[in-house]
Amino acid sequence: MLSNSEKHLQVRGTEINYYFICKTKLWLFSHNIQMEQESESVSMGKQLHKKSYGREKKDFTIDNLISVDFIRRGETLELHEVKKSSKMEDAHRYQLLYYMYYLKKEKGIQNIIGFIDYPKLRKKEKVELTESEEKSLEGIIEGIGQIVHGTISKPEKKKICRKCAYYEFCWV
Amino acid sequence: MKKNYYLMSDGLLKRKENTLYFVNKDGKKPIPINKIYSIYAYGSLTFSSQSVHLLAKEGIPIHFFNYYGFYDGSFYPRETLLSGDLLVKQVEHYLNPGKRLWIAKKFIEGAAGNMEKVLGYYHVQNGIGKTVKDLTLSSNVTEAMNVEARMRSEYYSKMDEILPDGFKMEGRSRRPPENMVNALISFGNSMVYSTVISEIYNTQLNPTISYLHEPFERRYSLALDLSEMFKPILVDRLIFYMVNKRMLTEDDFEQKVDYCILNDGGRKKFIKEYDERLKKTIKHRELNRKVSYRRLIRLEAYKLIKHILGTQEYKPFVMWW
């Protein structure tokens, strides 16, 4: 068993996101039962990502776990996540916070700030990693571990199910 | 909406930048890559490795059929949907005789239910329901297969009650089919088989690990398993429909002393109607949304995944309308 200080983070950014959206989806995704390739909203998101911020260097992928939409480097390191709507605010915010946390813990990078960009809403939101956010992230990471290593949880029908790529899988 | 492309004539498949072109004696036709679900090649097809690279990248299979219209094989692009966990569990359900038999019986029950639906539609009395009850007595897959064989011969013997004169089946003959109805069944079944392969490709299921058929029977034996339930609805009903409506006549077949197959014209007609059927939608009771017949096959794969993962017991698809 690795002690906590030696243990490397093994959680993917998407998993943080799904933790807030649906535990069943998180379990399936983490066991590589993925459906996103068929989701219209995922491909719309990809289009949005392709079409916006053309001047930036995009897709900054690290350790195959996190993939930041784009970065800007100056005195601080700016991480940017592009999202199409602000409906899933917590999911988006913690996904980005996790990226910041990851770069800080695993790569020793200080001075990071994050932005969630909503090009369609012409809005951007600044995100800062505070100590209390770090605490919550640690709880989330542990929670993800428990879900992923446990048995698959029964889906709960919510309003958002209708738009999910896993809808037919869950409810057939 | 992606669709199936059926290439009926001989020709060349080539790529220019990110578009595919099918070139035959009538000229060059673009096939937009984002629109392709699968390709069915009936003519003799020449293709470049560049076009294969593109198909692989987009995860599009090509199914090949020989001169007689029988299935030869598929270009099955590199798997991108892999789940080690699911594979292990899929194998576990094969290796455990009880678990395997349970799934195999469900597939037979599903096929039986759909056969009854087809015959029932034409008000043909039959003993399929009674025969399939014997499944409770089967303690291994071979015995279950025997029940399946009895039920199938009962089913085929009733088909002649629906078919018009001149189009009687007079028993199932395969490799080669001996008359027109047998030719249609063989041709249609190989289409369903390839359709199911495409659906399985789009899931994390491994197509070679099956329950009713033995995994060494054919390359994609899981597709054989799932085809059983869909053949009565997608093929047999289509045959009755087309034959009774005189949409197919003797001119659509190539009849020799020892075999009978569909000719080009017949194939074109049949494929057109088959494809229409795949696209036809019904309102799904559980999902409360419209799904196509083709999608029903995918849903069957999802249900199997859920059974294998232990979240929900598998219930085979039987037409409910």
Side-chain angles (χ1 to χ4, degrees):
Chain A
M1 226 14 214
L2 290 167
S3 74
N4 250 353
S5 57
E6 290 168 302
K7 199 153 78 187
H8 288 289
L9 292 168
Q10 284 299 337
V11 174
R12 287 179 275 183
T14 314
E15 291 171 309
I16 303 273
N17 188 313
Y18 288 176
Y19 180 79
F20 287 90
I21 294 173
C22 170
K23 312 284 186 251
T24 312
K25 187 173 183 172
L26 169 60
W27 192 95
L28 289 164
F29 177 84
S30 65
H31 288 76
N32 286 320
I33 298 169
Q34 298 167 348
M35 308 259 158
E36 287 77 359
Q37 76 279 3
E38 301 217 15
S39 157
E40 210 162 283
S41 73
V42 171
S43 60
M44 267 166 68
K46 277 189 186 151
Q47 282 298 321
L48 180 77
H49 172 64
K50 240 197 244 170
K51 295 257 161 74
S52 43
Y53 307 104
R55 277 166 296 181
E56 308 292 342
K57 183 188 176 303
K58 285 195 252 184
D59 292 321
F60 185 69
T61 305
I62 299 136
D63 298 342
N64 258 330
L65 285 176
I66 69 170
S67 173
V68 185
D69 283 345
F70 70 87
I71 55 164
R72 271 186 204 150
R73 251 186 270 202
E75 294 201 350
T76 55
L77 178 67
E78 279 184 25
L79 303 187
H80 288 260
E81 264 304 283
V82 184
K83 298 287 183 191
K84 67 175 188 296
S85 91
S86 53
K87 257 195 225 155
M88 308 287 173
E89 220 197 323
D90 270 348
H92 296 166
R93 221 162 58 83
Y94 276 100
Q95 187 180 354
L96 184 56
L97 282 167
Y98 175 68
Y99 294 161
M100 299 161 79
Y101 178 80
Y102 189 92
L103 291 174
K104 184 178 166 189
K105 293 280 162 179
E106 299 283 321
K107 308 288 167 190
I109 302 171
Q110 304 294 330
N111 285 337
I112 310 175
I113 40 170
F115 291 96
I116 308 179
D117 302 279
Y118 299 103
K120 276 170 67 182
L121 310 173
R122 299 176 192 283
K123 206 175 98 177
K124 86 178 174 183
E125 197 193 321
K126 192 170 167 189
V127 175
E128 269 169 298
L129 184 67
T130 63
E131 233 170 80
S132 77
E133 304 275 28
E134 284 191 23
K135 275 269 167 309
S136 349
L137 266 172
E138 280 157 16
I140 293 164
I141 291 165
E142 199 174 309
I144 291 175
Q146 279 168 5
I147 291 167
V148 168
H149 295 115
T151 52
I152 175 171
S153 47
K154 277 240 179 298
E156 284 171 52
K157 203 158 209 161
K158 298 181 207 158
K159 224 177 140 195
I160 51 169
C161 286
R162 290 176 55 80
K163 285 194 173 170
C164 178
Y166 292 75
Y167 176 84
E168 290 177 332
F169 180 89
C170 283
W171 302 110
V172 68
Chain B
M1 197 54 185
K2 291 188 178 194
K3 51 186 192 178
N4 288 330
Y5 282 82
Y6 303 90
L7 307 178
M8 304 302 294
S9 55
D10 295 355
L12 170 73
L13 196 63
K14 66 174 197 181
R15 169 184 181 177
K16 200 172 171 208
E17 273 145 19
N18 282 331
T19 304
L20 278 186
Y21 292 90
F22 181 60
V23 190
N24 65 8
K25 55 182 188 333
D26 302 325
K28 187 164 134 186
K29 217 178 86 190
I31 314 178
I33 193 80
N34 294 329
K35 284 267 164 73
I36 317 175
Y37 193 75
S38 319
I39 297 175
Y40 292 70
Y42 285 90
S44 97
L45 184 65
T46 308
F47 51 91
S48 65
S49 65
Q50 282 307 312
S51 56
V52 171
H53 289 314
L54 186 61
L55 291 166
K57 191 173 144 238
E58 302 292 330
I60 300 163
I62 314 183
H63 307 297
F64 296 98
F65 300 83
N66 68 12
Y67 171 78
Y68 301 101
F70 297 131
Y71 177 78
D72 265 339
S74 302
F75 163 65
Y76 195 82
R78 174 176 56 90
E79 283 275 10
T80 51
L81 300 170
L82 293 170
S83 165
D85 295 295
L86 185 67
L87 177 61
V88 168
K89 294 204 166 85
Q90 204 186 329
V91 174
E92 186 210 343
H93 279 259
Y94 171 76
L95 290 174
N96 180 314
K99 287 183 178 175
R100 177 182 170 190
L101 182 64
W102 193 91
I103 299 176
K105 283 182 179 177
K106 290 291 163 186
F107 288 153
I108 298 174
E109 286 169 19
N114 286 315
M115 287 176 183
E116 281 187 292
K117 279 276 173 187
V118 170
L119 295 179
Y121 180 83
Y122 291 94
H123 309 291
V124 174
Q125 302 292 323
N126 64 82
I128 291 175
K130 208 170 144 262
T131 310
V132 86
K133 285 214 173 75
D134 290 348
L135 274 182
T136 49
L137 308 169
S138 317
S139 54
N140 57 48
V141 174
T142 318
E143 284 170 23
M145 272 294 217
N146 288 337
V147 176
E148 199 247 10
R150 278 197 285 133
M151 150 189 122
R152 192 166 293 275
S153 71
E154 159 86 11
Y155 174 63
Y156 284 132
S157 72
K158 297 288 180 201
M159 274 198 179
D160 281 345
E161 292 184 26
I162 302 167
L163 294 162
D165 285 339
F167 260 103
K168 299 290 184 203
M169 179 182 176
E170 289 153 353
R172 179 83 176 105
S173 57
R174 277 166 259 241
R175 287 179 223 135
E178 283 162 8
N179 55 32
M180 293 184 288
V181 173
N182 273 295
L184 286 169
I185 293 176
S186 292
F187 186 76
N189 286 354
S190 71
M191 294 207 73
V192 172
Y193 176 67
S194 2
T195 306
V196 176
I197 289 174
S198 287
E199 291 309 318
I200 295 176
Y201 177 73
N202 283 297
T203 71
Q204 285 80 10
L205 285 169
N206 183 300
T208 64
I209 298 160
S210 54
Y211 303 98
L212 178 58
H213 297 81
E214 285 296 341
F216 47 78
E217 247 174 82
R218 258 203 253 177
R219 194 157 146 68
Y220 302 124
S221 44
L222 186 62
L224 291 177
D225 280 9
L226 292 179
S227 297
E228 294 300 338
M229 274 170 285
F230 292 96
K231 283 186 317 200
I233 285 153
L234 291 174
V235 180
D236 305 340
R237 268 194 68 172
L238 183 60
I239 293 173
F240 296 140
Y241 171 77
M242 291 186 77
V243 169
N244 285 330
K245 279 211 176 318
R246 309 270 182 257
M247 293 163 84
L248 286 167
T249 64
E250 289 202 21
D251 297 340
D252 294 310
F253 295 85
E254 182 184 327
Q255 302 203 53
K256 294 277 158 65
V257 184
D258 51 344
Y259 70 89
C260 174
I261 57 167
L262 275 162
N263 62 25
D264 272 0
R267 272 181 212 173
K268 266 187 198 146
K269 286 188 200 168
F270 189 85
I271 287 175
K272 186 171 166 279
E273 295 297 321
Y274 175 82
D275 198 57
E276 293 281 307
R277 240 159 233 235
L278 285 184
K279 285 190 278 198
K280 208 169 127 180
T281 58
I282 49 124
K283 177 115 183 224
H284 196 285
R285 284 191 303 194
E286 269 95 44
L287 297 176
N288 201 25
R289 62 166 67 160
K290 278 178 150 188
V291 295
S292 64
Y293 278 51
R294 180 173 81 186
R295 195 70 181 174
L296 286 171
I297 302 173
R298 178 80 67 86
L299 297 179
E300 219 46 27
Y302 288 165
K303 276 151 60 184
L304 189 59
I305 293 176
K306 289 209 281 189
H307 177 79
I308 288 168
L309 292 177
T311 43
Q312 189 179 298
E313 198 170 78
Y314 177 69
K315 252 183 34 213
F317 160 71
V318 176
M319 230 175 154
W320 59 81
W321 59 96

